[in-house]
Amino acid sequence: MSLTALFDGDRFIDIPANAWYRSEALEAAEREIVIGNGSTVLFDGGGTFTRAMAVTMIARMVDADVSADSMSHFTDVPDGEWYTGAVNWAYENDVTNGVSDTEFAPFNTITRKELMVMLERYITAIGYDTSAAELPFKDSASIADWALTDIQRFYARGLVNGDTNGNVQPDRPLTRAEGAAFIVRTANYIESHEATVEIESEQKEGETPQEISEVTAEPEPEVTAEPEVTAEPAELVAETEPEAVAEPEAVAETETETAEAAKSG
């Protein structure tokens, strides 16, 4: 793979100029949603994206206070780890219920359905409700019951279109590039609706239609199919460090759906 040099506005040296996720990765860095993997200049787009990384990035997306010294709800999330505060915040705000009553599985690779459900639950929790829409994907029947309604709502918001073959691939593990892209699109969606709510509030306070028409919300982000991401060469993947620098790598495991289904409804 060929690398790109750092130009004005660039952050990472391992993102090709024509990478489909380039703009999302750079925006994620600008928003301080992502720092890099073991280095400030390596994004590792094809690298493993764990559940711990996911909730950490979501917490950064909303500038959540994760410094609270609360006891972890999950037995596999020790106190004082780089991801502990984000996991506690996500649990307390109904973003995740874990994979069971007692386990979060922080180092499991997160699947597409798990991340869509987390993001949709946050959007709904802050008051942006929407109706579920019928899914057009060829593999919609493979979506677990506990995740179906949240994914239908996520789709209704225009935040996922599936792949080029018409599949949503709910159980496929996400790469860092795909995870960052989902989170950046969600951040843009939330901001566009915050602007809409502000306009409506001003209108109720007595502004004229002419004044209102001058203020327009940002358009909802256009979502394109997410292609597969090829993992970066081994020599580009830096050793992971504590959260102050980057999110560490994790071994991929499969999700325990049965226990989470009971919690997810």
Side-chain angles (χ1 to χ4, degrees):
M1 189 196 88
S2 61
L3 302 180
T4 62
L6 284 174
F7 296 101
D8 184 32
D10 284 0
R11 172 71 179 269
F12 306 109
I13 64 171
D14 61 342
I15 301 178
N18 62 347
W20 68 266
Y21 58 90
R22 178 182 173 82
S23 62
E24 285 94 345
L26 296 179
E27 183 174 350
E30 182 179 353
R31 289 175 175 270
E32 298 185 345
I33 291 173
V34 62
I35 296 172
N37 195 15
S39 168
T40 58
V41 295
L42 295 179
F43 178 67
D44 189 20
T48 299
F49 192 56
T50 66
R51 290 170 55 85
M53 291 177 185
V55 294
T56 297
M57 288 189 187
I58 295 172
R60 290 174 182 166
M61 175 187 76
V62 302
D63 198 24
D65 181 5
V66 297
S67 62
D69 188 21
S70 58
M71 183 176 296
S72 174
H73 173 79
F74 301 107
T75 58
D76 60 351
V77 179
D79 295 339
E81 294 295 330
W82 62 266
Y83 53 86
T84 302
V87 174
N88 290 344
W89 169 84
Y91 176 77
E92 292 164 2
N93 287 275
D94 297 322
V95 173
T96 182
N97 292 323
V99 297
S100 74
D101 287 340
T102 59
E103 295 182 326
F104 177 71
F107 298 126
N108 281 18
T109 304
I110 195 166
T111 63
R112 287 169 61 84
K113 74 169 176 286
E114 288 178 299
L115 184 59
M116 286 189 283
V117 168
M118 286 183 183
L119 292 170
E120 175 56 37
R121 286 177 177 172
Y122 178 76
I123 296 171
T124 300
I126 61 176
Y128 301 140
D129 201 3
T130 192
S131 299
E134 183 177 353
L135 298 176
F137 308 117
K138 296 176 182 178
D139 58 350
S140 296
S142 67
I143 298 174
D145 290 343
W146 64 265
L148 182 59
T149 300
D150 285 322
I151 293 177
Q152 287 174 326
R153 289 174 176 166
F154 201 68
Y155 168 74
R157 300 181 194 277
L159 291 174
V160 61
N161 280 343
D163 63 18
T164 55
N165 295 317
N167 297 311
V168 71
Q169 301 185 66
D171 297 313
R172 182 168 66 78
L174 284 168
T175 62
R176 283 172 56 86
E178 292 170 315
F182 265 129
I183 292 170
V184 165
R185 292 168 189 166
T186 300
N188 287 327
Y189 174 89
I190 291 171
E191 287 180 357
S192 71
H193 282 68
E194 287 175 343
T196 301
V197 170
E198 183 178 351
I199 291 169
E200 292 173 348
S201 175
E202 291 174 351
Q203 189 170 17
K204 289 179 181 179
E205 291 175 359
E207 289 198 23
T208 66
Q210 290 81 4
E211 291 172 318
I212 297 300
S213 65
E214 293 175 358
V215 185
T216 57
E218 291 292 326
E220 293 186 12
E222 180 180 352
V223 180
T224 55
E226 305 90 359
E228 296 284 346
V229 181
T230 303
E232 304 295 341
E235 61 268 20
L236 291 179
V237 181
E239 290 297 321
T240 56
E241 300 180 14
E243 171 60 5
V245 177
E247 307 87 1
E249 290 187 14
V251 294
E253 299 178 13
T254 56
E255 173 203 11
T256 304
E257 293 183 0
T258 304
E260 187 165 349
K263 292 290 290 179
S264 303

